[in-house]
């Protein structure tokens, strides 16, 4: 085996050992929503990381939750929106299953919601081919991954009044 190939193989093995195997995720079309819009089963086999969920909340390049929602204690999150409900006390108002359903596809719980479906790939129209991939040839990407949904939910359940 050439030296560079051995180095690559060792680096790949080290990455697997250090980060662990990729998490198994429920595909968006396989998510089971209850009648009230809640999702009882986690979407990933890895537990949600509340610290990562807090980061996603304020990251305009990820979920962009901060564009519509405010959390009064998050003085580090600039330009918080007021279009959606304040998330202060979200962990008291909704169960983990309800939060998972709301984050994945809020319209199942709140049909008139302006919140985008963050874990959905069909059943709606995305404007333009630039947002839709190659029309009909590949599945559309979800806005957040299953693990990111679990991370945001893990963060939201910590928000108590």
């Amino acid at each position: 085996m050439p030296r560079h190939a051995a180095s690559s193989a060792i680096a790949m093995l080290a990455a697997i050992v250090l980060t662990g195997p990729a998490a198994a995720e429920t595909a968006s079309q396989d998510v089971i929503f209850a009648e009230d819009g809640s999702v009882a089963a986690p979407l990933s086999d890895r537990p949600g990381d509340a610290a990562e969920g807090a980061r996603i909340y304020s990251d305009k390049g990820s979920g962009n939750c901060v564009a519509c929602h405010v959390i009064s204690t998050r003085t580090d999150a600039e330009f918080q929106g007021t279009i959606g409900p304040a998330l202060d006390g979200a962990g008291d108002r909704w169960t983990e299953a309800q939060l998972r359903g709301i984050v994945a596809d809020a319209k199942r719980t709140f049909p008139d919601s302006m919140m985008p479906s963050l874990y959905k790939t069909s059943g709606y129209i995305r404007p333009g081919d630039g947002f839709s991939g190659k029309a009909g040839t590949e599945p559309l990407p979800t806005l957040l991954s299953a693990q990111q949904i679990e991370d945001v939910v893990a963060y939201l359940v910590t928000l108590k009044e």
Side-chain angles (χ1 to χ4, degrees):
M1 177 181 292
R3 186 174 183 186
H4 70 281
S7 296
S8 295
I10 290 169
M12 204 168 11
L13 181 58
I16 291 169
V17 169
L18 292 175
T19 61
E25 297 187 343
T26 301
S28 63
Q29 69 272 11
D30 295 332
V31 175
I32 299 171
F33 288 88
E35 199 171 306
D36 67 354
S38 64
V39 176
L43 303 180
S44 174
D45 65 356
R46 242 181 26 221
D49 177 342
E52 180 62 12
R55 186 197 67 74
I56 292 168
Y57 163 78
S58 62
D59 181 7
K60 290 178 174 41
S62 293
N64 198 20
C65 312
V66 72
C68 297
H69 300 280
V70 64
I71 299 172
S72 60
T73 59
R74 292 294 305 270
T75 57
D76 63 311
E78 296 181 343
F79 309 112
Q80 296 186 67
T82 57
I83 295 169
L87 297 178
D88 296 315
D92 288 328
R93 290 195 309 265
W94 296 292
T95 67
E96 181 178 334
Q98 289 169 321
L99 287 167
R100 184 177 294 112
I102 292 167
V103 175
D105 188 0
K107 288 172 181 45
R108 289 180 180 260
T109 302
F110 306 110
D112 295 329
S113 175
M114 292 175 56
M115 184 168 161
S117 299
L118 299 174
Y119 199 63
K120 184 175 177 178
T121 60
S122 63
Y124 59 92
I125 298 170
R126 284 192 176 171
D129 288 339
F131 296 98
S132 300
K134 296 180 180 110
T137 62
E138 58 189 60
L140 297 173
T142 58
L143 297 176
L144 291 180
S145 71
Q147 187 59 52
Q148 289 173 314
I149 298 286
E150 292 303 317
D151 294 340
V152 170
V153 169
Y155 173 55
L156 294 175
V157 299
T158 69
L159 300 178
K160 307 284 186 175
E161 293 198 67

